[in-house]
Amino acid sequence: MKQVIVKITTSTLIGAGFAVAANAQTALTGLYLEGSVGWTHANGDYARQVRDSLANSSTYQFASASYDNSCGTGGRIAAGWTVLPRLAVEVGYTDFGRDHGTLAGAAYKASTALTAYRKGRFHASANTLDAVAMLPVNKHLALNARLGVALTEQKYTQTNYTTADTVGQSADYPANRQTRLHWGVGASHNVTNHLSVVVNYTRIENVGHDFSSASIDKGTRAGKFGYGLLAAGLRYAF
C-alpha cells in the first residue's frame, strides 16, 4: 500500500512539475515592449585629453579643464522577442543625456597675452541590438544580462570666447557616428502575467574621438567618453 501511495505521489509531483514548466515557457515566450527613464552619467579623463592635446602647442598653454559627469535625465525604449524561455533578442533606442565640458588655455600672440575658453555641450544616444539572458529567482523576480552592438551618435556644439571677447562665438559640429559594444545588467518583477517593473543599467564605451590632430572621415575631435544609464520603467509582454 505504501509503495502505491509513493508511486502515485511521485507521479503527481512529476506531472505537476512538467505542467508548471510548460506554463512558464508559454508565458515567457513572445513579444514585449519596454520603456524606462532614469539617470545618466559619462566618464572619461577630460582634463588629461585636453592637456595632452596642448602639450606640443606653440600657441596655447594648458590652464584647466573640467567635465560635468552627470548628464541628467535619459531614457530608453525597446522591443524584444523572447525566442527561448531564458533568452530574448531586443532592439532599442537609448538617450544617454547631455553633458558639458569646459577648458581654458593661456594663449600668447605677439606681445599680447590672453586666456581662451571653450565650453562644449555633448549629447549621446544609441540604437541597440542585444541578446538578453534571463535568470529567474522566483516566480516574480528575474535577473538579466545583455550584450550587443550599438550604433552610437555623439552630437557636439561649442562656444569659444576669450578675455578680450566675452561674448564668444558658437558653432555646431558634425556628429560622431560609431559602432560600439553595448552591455548591461538588470532585474524585472512581475506585477501581472503581462506587466513587469524593470530596472536596468546599460553602457557604451569609447564614444567620440580624442583631441588628436589626426584626420577622421566624419565627426569631430571633441573628446572620447563612456556613457551609462540607470533607468526604471515598465515592460508589457503580449
Side-chain angles (χ1 to χ4, degrees):
M1 185 64 178
K2 291 183 179 180
Q3 291 180 348
V4 173
I5 294 175
V6 170
K7 287 181 180 180
I8 293 175
T9 303
T10 303
S11 300
T12 303
L13 291 175
I14 293 175
F18 278 117
V20 170
N23 291 334
Q25 181 172 349
T26 302
L28 287 172
T29 56
L31 175 69
Y32 65 85
L33 300 177
E34 185 176 311
S36 57
V37 294
W39 173 76
T40 65
H41 71 100
N43 65 284
D45 194 342
Y46 186 67
R48 179 192 58 78
Q49 293 186 58
V50 176
R51 183 175 61 249
D52 290 350
S53 71
L54 297 176
N56 299 319
S57 174
S58 59
T59 306
Y60 294 94
Q61 177 182 352
F62 174 77
S64 65
S66 62
Y67 186 74
D68 180 12
N69 290 327
S70 176
C71 304
T73 303
R76 179 173 175 272
I77 55 174
W81 184 268
T82 309
V83 293
L84 295 173
R86 305 292 178 259
L87 181 66
V89 176
E90 189 176 284
V91 293
Y93 170 81
T94 303
D95 186 337
F96 285 98
R98 293 168 171 80
D99 51 302
H100 300 81
T102 302
L103 62 90
Y108 299 89
K109 293 184 178 179
S111 59
T112 302
L114 55 85
T115 302
Y117 300 92
R118 175 182 297 169
K119 288 188 175 180
R121 294 168 294 279
F122 301 85
H123 179 207
S125 60
N127 296 306
T128 59
L129 174 62
D130 298 325
V132 184
M134 292 164 281
L135 176 64
V137 177
N138 54 44
K139 65 178 182 179
H140 296 293
L141 179 66
L143 306 179
N144 70 71
R146 70 183 61 247
L147 183 65
V149 295
L151 301 178
T152 67
E153 180 178 79
Q154 182 198 59
K155 295 180 179 179
Y156 177 73
T157 61
Q158 72 178 31
T159 301
N160 297 320
Y161 61 100
T162 69
T163 49
D165 177 16
T166 57
V167 177
Q169 297 180 347
S170 298
D172 295 333
Y173 287 82
N176 290 315
R177 294 183 175 90
Q178 301 162 303
T179 302
R180 291 292 184 260
L181 178 71
H182 181 243
W183 64 270
V185 293
S188 62
H189 186 274
N190 295 334
V191 179
T192 68
N193 290 335
H194 296 282
L195 187 66
S196 302
V197 175
V198 296
V199 177
N200 290 302
Y201 178 73
T202 58
R203 279 196 64 83
I204 50 176
E205 310 287 351
N206 299 319
V207 178
H209 300 282
D210 60 22
F211 292 90
S212 167
S213 60
S215 62
I216 54 177
D217 293 335
K218 296 179 180 179
T220 184
R221 290 191 172 278
K224 182 184 291 185
F225 307 96
Y227 295 92
L229 168 67
L230 177 61
L234 297 174
R235 175 191 297 161
Y236 186 84
F238 294 89

